[in-house]
Amino acid sequence: MMKKLFWVVTIALAWIYGSGFMSLGPRGAMNYLDEWEQLSLNGDADGICEMMHEDLEFSIDDRTTPGRPLDMEGGKEDLCDYYAQVVPAMKLVVSGMNVRRDDVEVSRDWLHPWTAEVSYTEQRSVTMAGIQMKVHTVGEDRVTLVKTLTDGVKIKALHAKTRMTHAGDT
C-alpha cells in the first residue's frame, strides 16, 4: 500500500511540476502572450477577457497617445470593459503590428509550480494605413501567469508602462 501511495504521489508531483514548466516556462509564456496579441489584432475582446483570471489585478501607465495619457488600475471587469471598447476599434484602424519582446525573464518558485512571474521589454511598431502613420512604442511589462486546474493558463496580474518612441508617416 505504501509503495502505491509513494508512486501516486511521485507521479502527481511530476505532472504538477512538468505541466507547469511546459506551460509557464519561457516558451509557454511567450506563446501565451503571442496568443493575446493575435486576439487583439483580430478584434476579439471577449477572447482576451477569457484569458484573464477572475482575481486579476492590473495597472496601466500608457503614454503612447499624445495629449491622452492613460492611467488605469483595477480588476478583471474593469480591464474587460476597457478592452471591449478599444480592441474592436483596433481591428479597424491597425493594418499591421510588429511586436518584439526583449530581456524576457520568467521566474518560478518551487513552492508555487503553477505560477510564473514574467517580465520583459516590449518594442512595438503599429501601422495605421488609413491615416498613413506608423507608431513605435516601448513598454516595460510584468505579468503573472497561473495555471488553473479547469481553465488552463490565465493572467492573474498585469502591470504595463508604455511610452511612444517615434511616430511618423508610413
Side-chain angles (χ1 to χ4, degrees), residues 36-98:
W36 177 296
E37 291 297 332
Q38 192 58 50
L39 290 170
S40 180
L41 278 173
N42 294 339
D44 188 353
D46 291 335
I48 292 171
C49 194
E50 288 174 16
M51 296 179 79
M52 297 177 203
H53 192 277
E54 291 303 316
D55 297 329
L56 173 87
E57 294 178 3
F58 77 93
S59 64
I60 297 174
D61 175 5
D62 186 334
R63 302 292 184 257
T64 59
T65 307
R68 298 186 69 194
L70 175 66
D71 289 307
M72 192 175 170
E73 60 183 43
K76 179 179 179 177
E77 185 177 332
D78 302 313
L79 195 54
C80 287
D81 289 347
Y82 173 72
Y83 280 134
Q85 295 172 21
V86 173
V87 171
M90 279 182 57
K91 183 178 179 183
L92 300 174
V93 175
V94 174
S95 58
M97 188 176 332
N98 184 3

Side-chain angles (χ1 to χ4, degrees), residues 108-124:
R108 298 180 57 230
D109 180 348
W110 71 274
L111 286 174
H112 303 97
W114 286 2
T115 302
E117 301 292 333
V118 184
S119 63
Y120 51 89
T121 301
E122 183 177 86
Q123 307 286 333
R124 181 181 299 264

Side-chain angles (χ1 to χ4, degrees), residues 133-145:
M133 185 176 206
K134 191 171 206 172
V135 175
H136 302 275
T137 64
V138 65
E140 299 290 331
D141 295 350
R142 287 180 296 122
V143 178
T144 302
L145 300 175

